[in-house]
């Protein structure tokens, strides 16, 4: 436990120091890479609540990531074109305000998580994986055919959205926003994990029949976890769209869902810092190996294979010498 | 006669042509240990599942504290006061012993929807959990990972989790299974005192324990009750002897 606590703090510190160092040495691209890693980590922290604690292998979390992205895209699109946003009988305006966009993203993703969870959680195991994948693909194909918002080409947002008191176009300031969001999500994970809810959820993953015989409903526990998980991943989607100033159906792709699972496995399933370490490794490999060869995924695959075969607890598990939870 | 805490009336359940439970009516009275015995495949586990809510009977009913709970699920019955233990320990192996007991305490508090407060800092929950561990003699192992427990300790923890619920009735599925002489002696002594807290419906293969503990015994064979009565009645019954106990019993 004490070793893991050290790893946690060192990881966070490193995550802060690298972009600051890049700022000093004037390498803005490194800051952008760190921001990308922070956002992917945030998305994976969300998934880790469902996957790591609740044992819910969701292959549809791109749906929430994409919803967050499109929440940003649609609101900013209407704001930059000065066109009203019509929602059935209601008409509203777009916005370039990050807090409003985030709230919209979180609510949209949570609602989608509730509906998808209500239906998917009736199944388990491989059926759960398949049904979440199916939901994810529904969103993907819907986005492709949604010509009002760019269809297959996606939406470009010319200027990054604003946050009161900050200049979000300065890379280090936008990194700061994403890093704070990541830290908050880690705090949420940590509080949840040590709460009565977290204990019951963790037991529901291992022995659902026991959870029932103490008078608790494993289905409801998992559903709530799924909704919280979706909301966090949705927020990450909004930030990701803002980082790229671009939204496209690719944010809904099942490859992205898979990548989120992969980086959690690399870092350590169910571990607080698992998604953070996994995302850092993922982005570093993507950048360095990706620069050397187009086939860098092969090496990612090799790493994944080694971890699955020899280190069930991921990097955190290897460092602490303890196996992770079994999903 | 006082009202039964737990009762089944004409409970029947078939799997295809196999009648696993055939018109079973049993009572569990306050303060008693009522043992269910029978050879392998007699339908004891199927009966337990129907009582605790895991299986729906084809016919008949289950009553808890006078309430018909036949159509309630496992959770509702647990909330209504049924404390069930499993034949094969159903414990969260990755968690500590205390955390397993805490799960019961959380269930008993019926407030799992606290997301922000640490469970370790909740004195009511921790006290309830720790108290249960202490009673079964597991408090020294509270911080041990459950996977590291011996088989006997897991059986004790299984009972501790049920204790945290402060149930109105216990339903125990072979609590002595796989215990050594020492372990079953301890558990027999413990269950003997537990009956004053809540009556126990005890499914058990360990005949020494059954005859030492039970106030009444019901014998199941092929899903049917072939005999039911006091311990002495059953010991004397020729039919039971033939069906189950063997010549030397």
């Amino acid at each position: 436990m004490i070793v893991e606590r050290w790893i946690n703090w060192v990881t966070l510190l490193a995550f802060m120091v690298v972009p600051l160092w890049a700022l000093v040495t004037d390498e803005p691209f490194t800051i952008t890479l760190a921001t990308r890693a922070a956002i992917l980590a945030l998305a994976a922290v969300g998934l880790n609540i469902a996957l790591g604690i609740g044992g819910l292998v969701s292959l549809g979390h791109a749906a929430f990531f994409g919803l967050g992205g499109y929440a940003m895209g649609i609101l900013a699109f209407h704001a930059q074109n000065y066109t009203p946003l019509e929602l059935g009988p209601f008409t509203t305006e777009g916005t370039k305000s990050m807090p409003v966009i985030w709230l919209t993203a979180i609510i949209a993703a949570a609602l989608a998580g509730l509906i998808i969870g209500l239906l998917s959680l009736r199944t388990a195991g491989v059926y759960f994986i398949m049904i979440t994948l199916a939901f994810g693909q529904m969103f993907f194909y819907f986005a492709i055919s949604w010509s009002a918002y760019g269809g297959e080409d996606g939406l470009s947002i010319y200027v990054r959205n604003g946050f009161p008191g900050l200049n979000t176009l300065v890379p280090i300031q936008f990194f700061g926003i994403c890093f704070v969001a990541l830290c908050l999500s880690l705090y949420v994970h940590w509080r949840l994990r040590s709460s009565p809810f977290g204990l019951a959820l963790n037991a529901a993953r291992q022995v659902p029949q026991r959870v029932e015989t103490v008078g608790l409903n494993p289905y409801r526990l998992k559903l709530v976890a799924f909704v919280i998980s979706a909301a966090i991943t949705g927020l990450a989607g909004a930030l990701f769209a803002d980082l790229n100033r671009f939204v496209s159906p690719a944010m809904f792709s099942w490859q992205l869902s898979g990548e989120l699972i992969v980086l959690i496995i690399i870092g350590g399933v169910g571990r607080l810092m698992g998604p953070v370490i996994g995302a850092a490794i993922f982005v570093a490999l993507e950048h360095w190996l990706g620069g050397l060869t187009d086939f860098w995924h092969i090496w990612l695959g090799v790493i994944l294979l080694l971890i699955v075969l020899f280190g069930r607890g991921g990097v955190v598990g290897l460092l602490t010498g303890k196996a992770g939870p079994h999903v | 006669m006082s009202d039964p805490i737990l009762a089944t009336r004409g409970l029947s359940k078939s799997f295809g042509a196999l009648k696993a439970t055939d018109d079973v009516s049993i009572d569990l009275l306050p303060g008693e240990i009522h043992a269910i015995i029978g050879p392998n495949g007699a339908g004891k586990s199927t009966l337990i599942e129907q009582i605790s809510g895991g299986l729906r009977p084809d016919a008949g009913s289950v009553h808890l504290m006078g309430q018909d709970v036949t159509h309630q699920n496992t959770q509702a019955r647990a909330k209504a006061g049924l404390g069930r233990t499993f034949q094969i320990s159903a414990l969260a192996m990755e968690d500590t012993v205390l955390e397993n007991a805490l799960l019961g305490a959380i269930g008993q508090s019926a407030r799992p929807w606290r997301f922000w407060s640490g469970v370790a800092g909740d004195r009511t929950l921790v006290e309830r959990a720790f108290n249960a561990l202490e009673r079964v003699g597991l408090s020294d192992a509270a911080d041990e990972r459950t996977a590291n427990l011996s088989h006997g300790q897991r059986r004790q923890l299984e009972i501790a989790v049920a204790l945290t619920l402060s149930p109105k009735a216990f339903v125990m599925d072979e609590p002595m299974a796989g215990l050594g002489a020492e372990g079953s002696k301890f558990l027999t002594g413990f269950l003997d005192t537990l009956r004053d807290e809540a009556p126990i419906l005890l499914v058990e293969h360990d005949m020494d324990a059954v005859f030492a503990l039970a106030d009444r015994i019901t014998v199941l064979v092929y899903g049917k009750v072939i005999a039911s009565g006091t311990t002495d009645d059953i010991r004397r019954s020729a039919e039971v002897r033939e069906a189950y106990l063997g010549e030397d019993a």
Side-chain angles (χ1 to χ4, degrees), chain A residues 5-68:
Chain A
R5 201 166 295 169
W6 271 101
I7 295 170
N8 292 349
W9 286 114
V10 168
T11 307
L12 274 189
L13 200 68
F15 223 120
M16 245 171 14
V17 166
V18 168
L20 286 176
W21 180 249
L23 182 70
V24 173
T25 56
D26 195 27
E27 294 203 36
F29 186 65
T30 306
I31 302 179
T32 302
L33 279 184
T35 311
R36 184 176 157 80
I39 294 170
L40 284 178
L42 175 65
V45 168
L47 176 58
N48 200 27
I49 289 173
L51 174 72
I53 311 178
L56 305 170
V57 186
S58 162
L59 201 47
H61 258 53
F64 312 126
F65 196 68
L67 272 173

Side-chain angles (χ1 to χ4, degrees), chain A residues 233-256:
Chain A
T233 303
L235 173 63
L239 289 169
F240 192 76
D242 237 331
L243 172 68
N244 301 325
R245 276 168 275 171
F246 177 64
V247 194
S248 79
M251 284 185 76
F252 281 120
S253 72
W254 68 269
Q255 286 93 335
L256 196 127

Side-chain angles (χ1 to χ4, degrees), chain B residues 199-243:
Chain B
I200 305 170
L201 191 71
L202 179 70
V203 169
E204 188 50 66
H205 267 304
D206 180 340
M207 283 308 127
D208 292 336
V210 166
F211 282 102
L213 284 171
D215 299 291
R216 288 193 296 152
I217 298 177
T218 294
V219 186
L220 277 185
V221 173
Y222 296 122
K224 248 182 150 56
V225 174
I226 63 158
S228 187
T230 65
T231 309
D232 286 339
D233 292 343
I234 299 299
R235 210 192 294 268
R236 280 193 295 266
S237 157
E239 196 180 356
V240 174
R241 210 175 281 208
E242 191 183 332

Side-chain angles (χ1 to χ4, degrees), chain B residues 7-26 36 41-52 55-62 201 203 218-226:
Chain B
T8 70
R9 291 286 169 263
L11 222 49
S12 298
K13 177 84 190 171
S14 301
F15 299 107
L18 175 76
K19 280 196 166 175
T21 307
D22 191 357
D23 193 25
V24 172
S25 300
I26 48 173
I36 312 275
K44 303 187 296 294
S45 293
T46 311
L47 179 64
I48 291 264
E49 280 301 323
Q50 289 170 87
I51 291 172
S52 58
L55 275 177
R56 294 292 151 90
D58 298 334
S61 56
V62 180
L201 191 71
V203 169
T218 294
V219 186
L220 277 185
V221 173
Y222 296 122
K224 248 182 150 56
V225 174
I226 63 158

